């Protein structure tokens, strides 16, 4: 029953079955007969958040509540949530005083057991990975760790202290390290983002010889260009006329107008190239190329 004002009725009857009723309001604010507490957990790893559910009845916000949480902290909440920062075994106590002065108290000896946790930390070398260098060495820097569990962004796992791992492709990976205390087995977790950059190493020669000797017969970009998009290249003669255009980075100019027309004379030509790299960055390249016959 909840505490508060209660209406009490007295009904009196005589032998003639005549009745009279008296109603009186009384204040019902006793102390709970028994203090009942249900922690969310009796054991945890530091730092550990424990909810202390006060199931004692009757009780409400008009009662004076004093919790001694065992670690030097106190609370006046009916059911507090407290974070234990340090390992140890903690005794708690609860004192309840009703608004009319009724009091009850109870102690709970060695109730909350907080175990030691490790402190997870690691570093990755090299810090800057790319399509040419996808292998990294992971060095564990954790404190009080006895075992290790690595998750390389869903692409692989390892269970040794200092793994070497090669990422399967470019992209941003969330590397997760979970370490466990050697005695208590309490865990701690840390994560870092590792970016394997999809570099585009794309360059254009300054001369070519379209003489069908299978050596430098075409003018086109060279290098690594996987993931390159929105490519366009054009070649212009000295009179400002476009004589070649393509949207295929693997298609080169063979020295003829649009690769099928008349042969262009030996000389210097202007080229323009535009593309976007795999991360969406726009690149513009303007230059000269010498056609040698």
């Amino acid at each position: 029953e909840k505490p508060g004002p209660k209406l009490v009725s007295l009904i009196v009857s005589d032998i003639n079955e005549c009745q009279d009723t008296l109603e009186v309001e009384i204040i019902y604010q006793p102390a709970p007969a028994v203090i009942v507490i249900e922690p969310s957990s009796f054991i945890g790893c530091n730092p550990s958040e424990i909810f202390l559910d006060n199931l004692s009845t009757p009780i409400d916000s008009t009662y004076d509540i004093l919790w001694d949480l065992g670690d030097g902290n106190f609370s006046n909440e009916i059911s507090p949530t407290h974070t234990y920062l340090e390992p140890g075994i903690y005794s708690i106590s609860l004192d309840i005083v009703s608004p009319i002065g009724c009091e009850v108290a109870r102690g709970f000896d060695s109730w909350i057991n907080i175990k030691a946790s490790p402190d997870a930390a690691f570093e990755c070398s090299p810090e800057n990975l790319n399509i040419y260098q996808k292998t990294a060495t992971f060095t564990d820097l954790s404190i009080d760790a006895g075992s290790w569990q690595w998750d390389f962004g869903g692409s692989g796992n390892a269970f040794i202290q200092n793994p070497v791992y090669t990422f399967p492709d470019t992209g941003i990976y969330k590397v997760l390290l979970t370490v466990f205390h050697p005695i208590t087995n309490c865990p701690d977790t840390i994560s870092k983002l590792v970016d394997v950059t999809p570099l585009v190493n794309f360059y254009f020669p300054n001369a070519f010889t379209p003489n069908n000797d299978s050596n430098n017969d075409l003018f086109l970009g060279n290098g690594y260009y996987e993931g390159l998009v929105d490519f366009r290249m054009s070649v212009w003669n000295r009179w400002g006329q476009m004589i070649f255009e393509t949207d295929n980075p693997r298609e080169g100019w063979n020295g003829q107008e649009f690769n099928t027309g008349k042969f262009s004379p030996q000389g210097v030509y202007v080229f323009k190239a535009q593309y976007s790299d795999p991360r969406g960055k726009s690149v513009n390249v303007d230059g000269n190329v010498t056609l040698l016959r």
Side-chain angles (χ1 to χ4, degrees), residues 78-141:
I78 293 178
S79 297
T81 297
H82 182 62
T83 299
Y84 289 90
L85 300 176
E86 300 297 330
I89 297 177
Y90 297 95
S91 300
I92 65 175
S93 65
L94 175 59
D95 186 89
I96 301 173
V97 181
S98 76
I100 59 175
C102 300
E103 182 176 5
V104 62
R106 184 178 177 185
F108 301 85
D109 187 48
S110 301
W111 242 37
I112 306 298
N113 184 1
I114 305 299
K115 295 185 174 184
S117 292
D119 186 9
F122 71 90
E123 66 180 11
C124 172
S125 179
E127 293 185 357
N128 299 315
L129 300 176
N130 55 58
I131 187 64
Y132 309 110
Q133 174 57 53
K134 297 186 292 183
T135 300
T137 298
F138 291 88
T139 303
D140 171 55
L141 302 175

Side-chain angles (χ1 to χ4, degrees), residues 270-284:
V270 173
F271 74 90
K272 300 178 182 292
Q274 304 90 34
Y275 60 87
S276 295
D277 71 12
R279 294 285 172 86
K281 179 182 177 181
S282 296
V283 179
N284 292 282

Side-chain angles (χ1 to χ4, degrees), residues 67-290:
W67 291 85
D68 183 342
L69 300 169
D71 62 350
N73 289 284
F74 300 86
S75 176
N76 298 114
E77 298 181 41
I78 293 178
S79 297
T81 297
H82 182 62
T83 299
Y84 289 90
L85 300 176
E86 300 297 330
I89 297 177
Y90 297 95
S91 300
I92 65 175
S93 65
L94 175 59
D95 186 89
I96 301 173
V97 181
S98 76
I100 59 175
C102 300
E103 182 176 5
V104 62
R106 184 178 177 185
F108 301 85
D109 187 48
S110 301
W111 242 37
I112 306 298
N113 184 1
I114 305 299
K115 295 185 174 184
S117 292
D119 186 9
F122 71 90
E123 66 180 11
C124 172
S125 179
E127 293 185 357
N128 299 315
L129 300 176
N130 55 58
I131 187 64
Y132 309 110
Q133 174 57 53
K134 297 186 292 183
T135 300
T137 298
F138 291 88
T139 303
D140 171 55
L141 302 175
S142 305
I143 299 173
D144 294 332
S147 57
W148 302 264
Q149 184 174 304
W150 298 85
D151 179 353
F152 300 107
S155 66
N157 302 92
F159 301 93
I160 60 177
Q161 184 175 9
N162 299 309
V164 176
Y165 183 73
T166 300
F167 290 92
D169 201 352
T170 59
I172 299 176
Y173 297 84
K174 184 178 181 180
V175 178
L176 184 73
L177 170 61
T178 302
V179 295
F180 300 88
H181 193 278
I183 298 175
T184 65
N185 207 39
C186 286
D188 190 34
T189 300
I190 188 173
S191 65
K192 292 183 180 181
L193 295 179
V194 174
D195 188 2
V196 183
T197 307
L199 297 179
V200 171
N201 184 13
F202 198 51
Y203 63 93
F204 293 88
N206 57 15
F208 76 114
T209 57
N211 54 12
N212 295 319
D213 65 352
S214 300
N215 182 27
N216 201 25
D217 284 332
L218 295 175
F219 171 68
L220 75 167
N222 297 300
Y224 185 87
Y225 44 84
E226 290 297 327
L228 179 150
V229 295
D230 299 329
F231 177 83
R232 181 176 181 272
M233 184 183 75
S234 59
V235 180
W236 306 72
N237 63 22
R238 61 180 178 173
W239 293 285
Q241 297 172 316
M242 186 171 66
I243 56 176
F244 178 73
E245 184 179 30
T246 182
D247 59 5
N248 183 357
R250 295 176 175 83
E251 180 184 9
W253 179 42
N254 67 5
Q256 297 176 245
E257 290 187 7
F258 297 99
N259 280 359
T260 58
K262 69 179 181 178
F263 289 89
S264 298
Q266 179 169 300
V268 178
Y269 295 82
V270 173
F271 74 90
K272 300 178 182 292
Q274 304 90 34
Y275 60 87
S276 295
D277 71 12
R279 294 285 172 86
K281 179 182 177 181
S282 296
V283 179
N284 292 282
V285 182
D286 297 337
N288 297 322
V289 58
T290 300

